[in-house]
Every structure is written in structure tokens, then in C-alpha cells.
């Protein structure tokens, strides 16, 4: 982390260090709160006369990733040739302090007050027009607290508390800073779609899950409407055997101590099961059908009534998304152009300059994605019983490199949109699977069963495929956010130089992580000296894979003035070595998220 901070502060030819100097009062307030909180933590223990003992295993992740990463990402968004203040810094300083573990500051209202201290200097200083109003920023701590609580309620223990606080910070940044059409669509899908499903479908999904948990002899004729108990036994067997882990180390032992609220919720759930057990087969079938229809109907309602007008107004300048999408993809087709000219001559996206060739390219990319998916799934299915679970999973890691690296260079904006929509589909499908909603939940669970690992069995959410997609998307999302659209077409990036940092997620997740796992498991003999079971051979494989991916990406997006000096190679090696060390020591968070975020920061800071 010290290396990461040093790279960021020394980057942009001193522009970021100048930004820190401008915000020195805010940073001083942030550092004072953080250091005071850490220093005062032992005082209550000592005042009670209890001995101060260090824990047997200390996990530093809650004090590193949610606290440092948002600030480093915000600093990396600083424009190099601009004198405007960085608009992201103050808000992320506040959310960094809001992410302090509750163990350090148990009372959330007190954490709210201390989190606002970095806002005090800017509140009394003359604010520029580019800065967000301090009155809005003052509500970030309670928003962060509520969002973290909701995410914990929904996703724990599938996600750790550290991951949940990082996700809350990322979602709030998306909420308040989304300006490009692609970011607005992503915000609408995650915030609007997520809140809509939570409000309309939460109780219905819980009722359906409780109904599905009634003993099998009560629901013998439901077929694939629920995930059978036998299938869950197979899932549990994977956890007992410890076969499938995304890293080369062993899985930690999982323990969970339910609270009083959990006990009351459990007793309520037991009462619901007793009611459902009294139903006949026909009544249970009708209830499951009604629950499923409500959820699917709610999704259609949210998309058509809520998301559709919002996206049309703020992302497409008032044009309906369902009218914009065909033109975005089909305007190069003669029959479609004739149809548009017949209905409304001179209107639509398809008459803009260069739109026809760009749309044809997008159709080719969609076909390319389908071919890669079909080949990858067919390959895995054909050799499913001959390879280990870890190898099956790494096939998908390799697929993301092929799927996203080339399209990301050819059409970054379309790749951004595709990754956002794919994330929405993944989250929706996992909601259907976790909610055990017929007729698709059984099929989704059957498809995922050969690829789940111990992490996926901890809670209700299968996180591996979502984290894989997020790790790949981080590079594009951050790069396009830092680049800005300016006055040009936000959907046409053909004349803009894209920063190499956009490939950081793909090379780390698709190449580095896969190489470290496959090589480390088979040839790893020399282990690192800390807990986790990672090997030096696996870390070297990660480094070489990332260096190869960055070199190819740099050559692909390079300009005529691009150099390949020893300094450039040293920078590439630094990214690979830094990522391999984080992958080897990371705890408390999924490396498919932490490593791509850190790698993006390092690549941006080194100016590759």
C-alpha cells in the first residue's frame, strides 16, 4: 500500500502532489481522525483494567482497502492539464472515514460527525463551481451507513464486511458523479433496478424460498421449480472436500455466530415453513407460480415504467431507449435505413456521420462475443469430467481476455455498455437462482454447480462470476470516467487516445490470476512465509502473465511516438510485481476486485 501511495503522489508530473497541497487541510483532518481513532481504540480496554492482547490472526484489510483505495482512485482521476480542483476528493475522504470498522467507532452517529471533519475546511473556503455542494456531502455518512447495512442484510456472508463497504463507496460515487451516458445507464440499472426489486420483491422472494425449503415429500411434484435438497447436498459436498478454491491456498474454516435479530428472523421463518407444510401440492404449486409471476412482472414494470424514461431523458437526450438501441446497432443495414427514412426521414442515430460503419462493427463484436461464449462453454462441457473444478473456472478467465481485450480497443464505449448490461443480467439471474423462482432457477443452479467453490457456498449469492465480470470492467469504467467525454460524441471514441489502464482488469483477472492458480497448484513448491498457501512460482507466473498482457495492450493502442525503453519495461514489471504481491497476501477481500483496482491505479500513476 505504501508503494501504491508513493506512485500516485509522484505521478502526473507533480500535478497530484499539487492537488494534495491544495487540499492539505482536508487531508490533515482526514489523517487526524484516522490516527486518533486507531490510537484511542485500546483506551477503553485499558480503562476497564483488562489486559491488552493482540489477536492470534490480524487481518489488516478493513483498515486498508475501504480506507485507502477510494482516495487513491479519486486522486488518479485528477486531470493532468487542468487547473480545476479535483471534484472527487472531498467526498471520498468523507466516505473513507465512513468506512472505518464499527469496532473502532461503534456509534454510527458519532462516526457521522467525525467523518465530516474533512468537509469543514472546504465549507468555510470559497468554493469553485466544479465542487459539489457541502450540504449534499454532509449526508454521505448516513447514506453510506444505510447502504452498507442493506447490502450486509442482503449479501452477508457471501461478501465480507470489507467488500460490502467498498461496494457501498463505489455505488455512492456512481450515484453522485455519473455524467456520461454509459455511467448513467449503469447507475439506473444498479440503483433504480436494485432498489425497485428490493422494495417490490423482497418479501415475495423470501416467501418463495421458505416454501421451497419445505421437506421434499411435501413438494414431490414440483420438478425443477425448486433446487432439490439433493443438489444442495452436492453443493455442500464440494465445501467439505475443499475441491474448488479460486486461489491455490486452502479454504479458511467458516464460522458464524447468529445475533438476536437473526434468531427472531429464524423463528419467523420457521413459522412460515409450518404454514407452507400444511399446503397441498396444488396449493404450493399455485403459490410458487404466483410468486414467480409477481417477481418477473415487477422486473418488467421497473424496466418499462421507471428505468426506460429515466435513461431516455438523461442518457439519450429524450430519445426512447428502445428506439435508440436499434439505430445504435442496425443503422448500417440498408433495410433498416429505408424503414427509418420511410417513417421519419432525417431522424435517428443512423443518419449521423460514421454511424453506419460503427454500427456494423458493433454487430461484428456481438457475433464475436457469441462465438467465443459458445466455444468456451462447449469446450468446458466436453471435458467437464476430466478436469478439476479450478481448471474449469480458469477457462472462463481466459475467455474474458479474448472477449473484452480486442473489443475494448476497437469500441471502448460499446464495451463499457456491454459490461454494464452483462452485470445487470448476472445480478438478475442470481436473484432468480437464490430466490428459487421457477422455471429458471433449477436450470441456472444446474449450470453453475460444476463451477462453484467454497466462497460461493458461504451465503446465498454465487459471487465468482460477478466478481470476474467486475474485475474485468473496472479498467474500462475507471478509464472512461477519468478521460471524460468533453464536447465530442460520448459514443464515438475513435479519435481519442485511450489510456492503457483500461486493460488492467482484464490482464490481472484473465491472465494473472489464472496463471498464478494453474501454475501455483501444479508446480508451486516454494511457499511464501505467511498464511495462505501461495507459492513463489505462482506469483512469478502472475507477474509474467500481467507483463505479457500489458505489453500486448500497449503495443495495440500505441502511437507513433511510443517508446520501449528500459524505463518502460521497468514500469510494466512494476505493475506485474505489485499485482502478484497483492494477490499473494490479500485477505478479507476477493482478489478479483482488489488487484484490478490497484493495478489500474499503478498503471495510471506510472503513465504507461
Amino acid at each position: 500500500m505504501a508503494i501504491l501511495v508513493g506512485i500516485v503522489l509522484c505521478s502526473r508530473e507533480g500535478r497530484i502532489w499539487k492537488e494534495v497541497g491544495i487540499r492539505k487541510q482536508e487531508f490533515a483532518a482526514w489523517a487526524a481522525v484516522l490516527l486518533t481513532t486507531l490510537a484511542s481504540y485500546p483506551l477503553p480496554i485499558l480503562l476497564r483494567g483488562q489486559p491488552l492482547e493482540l489477536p492470534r490472526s490480524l487481518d489488516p484489510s478493513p483498515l486498508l482497502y475501504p480506507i485507502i483505495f477510494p482516495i487513491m482512485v479519486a486522486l488518479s482521476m485528477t486531470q493532468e492539464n487542468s487547473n480545476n480542483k479535483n471534484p472527487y476528493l472531498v467526498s471520498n475522504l468523507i466516505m473513507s472515514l465512513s468506512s472505518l470498522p464499527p469496532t473502532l467507532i461503534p456509534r454510527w452517529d458519532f462516526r457521522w460527525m467525525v467523518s465530516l471533519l474533512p468537509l469543514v475546511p472546504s465549507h468555510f473556503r470559497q468554493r469553485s463551481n466544479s465542487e459539489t455542494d457541502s450540504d449534499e456531502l454532509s449526508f454521505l455518512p448516513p447514506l453510506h451507513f444505510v447502504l452498507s447495512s442493506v447490502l450486509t442484510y442482503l449479501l452477508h456472508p457471501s461478501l465480507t464486511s470489507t467488500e460490502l463497504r467498498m461496494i457501498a463507496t463505489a455505488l455512492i460515487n456512481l450515484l453522485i458523479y455519473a455524467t456520461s451516458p454509459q455511467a448513467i445507464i449503469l447507475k439506473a440499472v444498479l440503483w433504480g433496478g436494485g432498489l425497485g426489486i428490493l422494495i417490490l420483491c423482497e418479501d415475495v422472494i423470501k416467501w418463495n424460498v421458505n416454501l421451497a425449503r419445505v421437506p421434499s415429500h411435501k413438494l414431490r411434484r414440483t420438478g425443477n421449480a425448486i433446487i432439490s435438497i439433493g443438489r444442495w447436498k452436492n453443493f455442500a459436498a464440494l465445501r467439505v472436500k475443499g475441491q474448488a478454491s479460486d486461489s491455490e491456498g486452502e479454504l479458511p474454516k467458516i464460522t458464524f455466530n447468529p445475533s438476536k435479530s437473526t434468531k427472531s428472523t429464524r423463528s419467523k421463518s420457521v413459522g412460515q415453513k409450518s404454514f407452507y407444510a400444511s399446503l397441498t401440492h396444488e396449493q404450493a404449486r399455485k403459490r410458487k407460480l404466483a410468486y414467480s409471476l409477481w417477481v418477473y412482472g415487477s422486473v418488467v414494470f421497473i424496466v418499462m415504467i421507471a428505468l426506460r424514461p429515466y435513461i431516455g431523458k438523461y442518457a439519450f437526450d429524450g430519445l426512447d431507449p428502445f428506439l435508440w438501441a436499434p439505430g445504435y446497432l442496425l443503422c448500417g443495414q440498408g433495410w433498416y435505413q429505408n424503414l427509418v427514412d420511410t417513417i421519419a426521414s432525417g431522424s435517428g442515430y443512423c443518419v449521423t456521420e460514421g454511424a453506419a460503419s460503427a454500427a456494423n462493427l458493433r454487430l461484428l463484436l456481438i457475433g464475436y462475443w457469441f462465438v467465443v461464449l459458445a466455444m468456451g462453454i462447449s469446450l468446458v462441457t466436453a471435458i467437464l469430467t476430466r478436469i478439476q473444478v479450478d481448471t474449469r473456472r480458469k477457462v472462463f478467465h481466459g475467455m474474458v481476455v479474448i472477449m473484452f481485450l480486442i473489443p475494448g480497443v476497437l469500441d471502448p464505449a460499446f464495451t463499457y455498455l456491454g459490461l454494464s448490461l452483462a452485470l445487470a443480467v448476472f445480478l438478475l439471474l442470481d436473484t432468480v437462482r437464490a430466490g428459487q423462482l421457477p422455471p429458471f432457477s433449477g436450470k441456472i443452479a444446474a449450470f453453475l454447480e460444476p463451477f462453484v467453490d467454497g466462497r460461493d457456498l458461504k451465503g446465498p449469492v454465487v459471487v465468482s462470476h460477478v466478481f470476474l465480470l467486475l474485475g474485468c470492467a473496472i479498467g474500462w469504467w475507471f478509464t472512461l470516467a477519468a478521460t471524460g467525454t468533453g464536447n465530442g460524441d460520448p459514443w464515438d471514441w475513435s479519435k481519442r487516445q485511450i489510456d492503457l489502464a483500461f486493460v488492467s482488469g482484464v490482464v490481472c483477472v484473465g491472465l494473472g490470476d489464472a496463471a498464478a492458480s494453474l501454475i501455483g497448484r501444479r508446480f508451486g513448491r516454494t511457499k511464501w512465509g505467511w498464511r495462505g498457501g501461495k507459492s513463489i512460482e505462482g506469483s512469478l507466473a502472475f507477474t509474467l502473465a500481467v507483463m505479457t498482457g500489458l505489453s500486448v495492450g500497449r503495443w495495440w493502442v500505441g502511437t507513433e511516438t511510443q517508446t520501449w525503453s528500459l524505463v518502460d519495461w521497468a514500469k510494466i514489471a512494476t505493475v506485474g510485481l505489485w499485482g502478484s504481491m497483492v494477490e499473494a497476501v490479500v485477505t478479507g477481500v476477493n482478489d478479483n476486485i482488489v488487484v484490478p483496482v490497484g493495478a489500474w491505479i499503478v498503471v495510471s500513476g506510472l503513465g504507461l
Side-chain angles (χ1 to χ4, degrees):
M1 192 62 69
I3 294 173
L4 179 73
V5 173
I7 290 175
V8 171
L9 294 179
C10 297
S11 62
R12 301 283 199 280
E13 297 182 354
R15 175 67 182 88
I16 291 183
W17 184 252
K18 179 182 178 182
E19 184 70 30
V20 174
I22 296 174
R23 301 285 193 181
K24 59 183 178 182
Q25 293 178 328
E26 287 88 339
F27 274 94
W30 172 83
V33 172
L34 182 61
L35 296 177
T36 303
T37 302
L38 294 176
S40 61
Y41 172 68
L43 291 181
I45 301 176
L46 296 176
L47 291 176
R48 289 194 298 265
Q50 299 177 356
L52 185 63
E53 298 179 355
L54 291 176
R56 300 178 64 179
S57 62
L58 181 63
D59 181 12
S61 62
L63 296 176
L64 291 180
Y65 306 115
I67 308 298
I68 305 298
F69 267 24
I71 301 174
M72 294 299 103
V73 173
L75 283 172
S76 300
M77 297 285 184
T78 303
Q79 298 296 323
E80 186 173 358
N81 299 319
S82 175
N83 292 324
N84 295 329
K85 292 182 180 179
N86 189 320
Y88 312 111
L89 267 181
V90 177
S91 59
N92 280 279
L93 287 172
I94 295 172
M95 286 187 285
S96 172
L97 296 178
S98 300
S99 298
L100 286 170
T103 306
L104 298 178
I105 308 179
R107 293 187 53 180
W108 75 270
D109 51 351
F110 182 67
R111 187 160 64 247
W112 180 0
M113 289 188 293
V114 299
S115 299
L116 292 179
L117 288 180
L119 184 61
V120 174
S122 60
H123 180 76
F124 292 102
R125 186 194 304 136
Q126 183 67 30
R127 300 191 302 269
S128 64
N129 294 330
S130 61
E131 292 188 278
T132 306
D133 189 359
S134 60
D135 293 337
E136 298 176 3
L137 297 180
S138 63
F139 288 97
L140 289 181
L143 176 60
H144 191 278
F145 172 77
V146 172
L147 183 57
S148 299
S149 301
V150 172
L151 292 174
T152 301
Y153 169 72
L154 295 174
L155 303 176
H156 184 79
S158 294
L159 274 68
T160 66
S161 59
T162 302
E163 293 168 341
L164 292 169
R165 287 195 287 270
M166 291 179 65
I167 291 175
T169 301
L171 287 174
I172 294 175
N173 273 287
L174 178 66
L175 176 67
I176 61 179
Y177 292 121
T179 55
S180 67
Q182 298 90 346
I184 291 173
I185 294 173
L186 182 61
K187 178 177 72 172
V189 168
L190 295 182
W191 277 96
L195 286 176
I197 292 177
L198 177 64
I199 294 171
L200 296 178
C201 305
E202 178 198 1
D203 290 334
V204 176
I205 290 175
K206 289 195 296 185
W207 296 340
N208 190 72
V209 171
N210 288 332
L211 177 58
R213 288 175 177 172
V214 175
S216 58
H217 65 275
K218 296 288 185 179
L219 299 172
R220 189 171 301 163
R221 299 180 182 179
T222 57
N224 287 334
I226 64 170
I227 300 178
S228 65
I229 295 178
R231 177 162 293 159
W232 284 113
K233 288 181 179 179
N234 291 336
F235 272 37
L238 290 177
R239 177 171 56 185
V240 173
K241 295 178 181 178
Q243 292 177 349
S245 173
D246 203 32
S247 64
E248 55 180 289
E250 296 181 357
L251 291 173
K253 184 179 180 180
I254 301 169
T255 58
F256 177 65
N257 296 322
S259 61
K260 294 181 179 179
S261 60
T262 306
K263 293 181 180 178
S264 62
T265 304
R266 183 181 299 173
S267 61
K268 181 179 179 181
S269 177
V270 171
Q272 291 177 345
K273 291 180 183 177
S274 300
F275 166 74
Y276 291 133
S278 64
L279 300 177
T280 64
H281 291 285
E282 184 63 20
Q283 290 173 331
R285 185 188 66 82
K286 290 182 178 180
R287 278 184 175 270
K288 283 186 287 187
L289 179 60
Y291 294 156
S292 301
L293 290 176
W294 174 267
V295 174
Y296 296 140
S298 298
V299 172
V300 174
F301 174 82
I302 292 169
V303 171
M304 300 300 296
I305 305 302
L307 301 187
R308 177 185 173 192
Y310 178 85
I311 293 175
K313 180 179 180 179
Y314 293 101
F316 301 136
D317 297 326
L319 185 62
D320 190 288
F322 291 97
L323 296 178
W324 175 88
Y328 185 63
L329 297 175
L330 300 174
C331 64
Q333 307 300 313
W335 64 270
Y336 180 77
Q337 185 64 60
N338 293 333
L339 179 63
V340 172
D341 290 339
T342 302
I343 298 175
S345 179
S347 64
Y349 187 89
C350 55
V351 298
T352 60
E353 182 181 358
S357 58
N360 290 334
L361 175 61
R362 296 182 193 111
L363 289 177
L364 290 175
L365 293 179
I366 292 175
Y368 171 76
W369 284 337
F370 276 110
V371 170
V372 174
L373 278 175
M375 294 179 61
I377 294 175
S378 300
L379 174 64
V380 174
T381 304
I383 58 176
L384 193 62
T385 58
R386 304 177 186 177
I387 58 177
Q388 298 178 350
V389 177
D390 179 66
T391 306
R392 302 172 200 164
R393 293 162 59 88
K394 299 313 173 186
V395 171
F396 291 99
H397 284 244
M399 287 171 57
V400 299
V401 178
I402 303 174
M403 290 183 64
F404 298 128
L405 188 58
I406 297 176
V409 174
L410 298 177
D411 197 336
F414 181 55
T415 305
Y416 186 125
L417 178 63
L419 287 166
S420 301
L421 296 179
L423 176 61
V425 171
F426 277 14
L427 294 176
L428 181 61
L429 291 178
D430 206 67
T431 300
V432 172
R433 181 205 59 80
Q436 304 186 33
L437 299 170
F440 305 110
S441 61
K443 297 179 177 62
I444 297 172
F447 176 79
L448 293 176
E449 183 177 350
F451 308 104
V452 296
D453 69 350
R455 176 68 187 271
D456 297 320
L457 300 171
K458 290 174 61 177
V461 181
V462 177
V463 299
S464 295
H465 60 295
V466 177
F467 278 169
L468 176 62
L469 184 67
L470 283 175
C472 295
I474 282 170
W476 274 279
W477 293 346
F478 285 178
T479 300
L480 269 66
T483 304
T485 57
N487 297 322
D489 185 354
W491 296 100
D492 183 12
W493 290 74
S494 59
K495 299 179 181 179
R496 303 181 187 182
Q497 181 65 31
I498 301 298
D499 192 351
L500 180 65
F502 84 93
V503 305
S504 58
V506 173
V507 298
C508 287
V509 174
L511 294 177
D513 184 75
S517 180
L518 295 176
I519 300 299
R521 283 179 177 274
R522 288 156 180 79
F523 305 103
R525 298 293 183 267
T526 309
K527 302 293 183 180
W528 291 106
W530 48 78
R531 184 180 178 182
K534 301 298 180 67
S535 66
I536 296 178
E537 291 83 356
S539 297
L540 290 176
F542 184 102
T543 302
L544 293 176
V546 170
M547 289 180 63
T548 302
L550 287 177
S551 301
V552 173
R554 191 169 187 267
W555 167 78
W556 185 274
V557 302
T559 61
E560 296 179 356
T561 59
Q562 187 181 74
T563 61
W564 291 91
S565 64
L566 290 178
V567 175
D568 297 321
W569 285 108
K571 291 179 179 180
I572 294 174
T574 300
V575 179
L577 288 171
W578 188 92
S580 68
M581 294 309 300
V582 174
E583 193 271 342
V585 304
V586 66
T587 58
V589 288
N590 193 295
D591 57 357
N592 285 347
I593 297 296
V594 172
V595 177
V597 173
W600 182 87
I601 297 173
V602 174
V603 173
S604 299
L606 294 176
L608 282 172

